[in-house]
Amino acid sequence: MLALDALPPGPCVSLVIQGRLISQEAGPIPEVDPGIIVMRWTWHLTFKVESVVLGDFEGDELDATGIQHGGIREDYGRTFLLGRVDGGYRLVTISPDELVKRQDIAALAARVDSELCE
């Protein structure tokens, strides 16, 4: 049996940064009933921020939460789309390319069923 855990809906994209992932740590895998497969759980991510493309953020490092099955290749991402949640940020999606045009960012967000916050 496959169960999709009851995740909150993905946040809208409120911050877009360019930089790189510098650390990631898996949170505990949730305890579930036997026969249930956990496909995604919470990870703690830290990004080195080189530039802010969309939104307001000051600083050179940003902590966020990822809801994922495994680690992210640290050399993959270049542009990170994040949504504000509970006083922090949650990773929405990643692009290996540098995105600076609002329409490109909106199109990438739409591919993961998200949108830009207004």
Side-chain angles (χ1 to χ4, degrees):
M1 176 161 97
L2 176 69
L4 297 176
D5 44 345
L7 291 172
C12 63
V13 175
S14 57
L15 180 65
V16 178
I17 61 169
Q18 291 179 339
R20 63 187 175 89
L21 180 64
I22 56 175
S23 73
Q24 55 187 323
E25 182 178 332
I29 297 175
E31 291 188 26
V32 295
D33 293 332
I36 302 284
I37 298 171
V38 178
M39 296 299 293
R40 301 180 291 176
W41 61 94
T42 304
W43 287 62
H44 179 261
L45 309 170
T46 303
F47 299 96
K48 174 71 174 168
V49 179
E50 294 170 3
S51 65
V52 175
V53 178
L54 179 73
D56 295 320
F57 179 79
E58 293 184 19
D60 59 355
E61 288 188 7
L62 178 128
D63 291 323
T65 300
I67 307 294
Q68 55 205 56
H69 176 73
I72 299 167
R73 279 189 21 214
E74 293 178 16
D75 64 339
Y76 175 74
R78 184 75 190 112
T79 302
F80 302 92
L81 283 66
L82 301 121
R84 181 165 285 290
V85 292
D86 297 329
Y89 290 97
R90 183 170 132 198
L91 180 65
V92 174
T93 192
I94 305 169
S95 172
D97 302 315
E98 291 187 15
L99 299 178
V100 294
K101 294 181 181 173
R102 189 174 179 88
Q103 63 265 27
D104 294 338
I105 295 167
L108 178 59
R111 281 189 272 176
V112 293
D113 294 327
S114 193
E115 58 187 33
L116 301 183
C117 300
E118 294 299 324

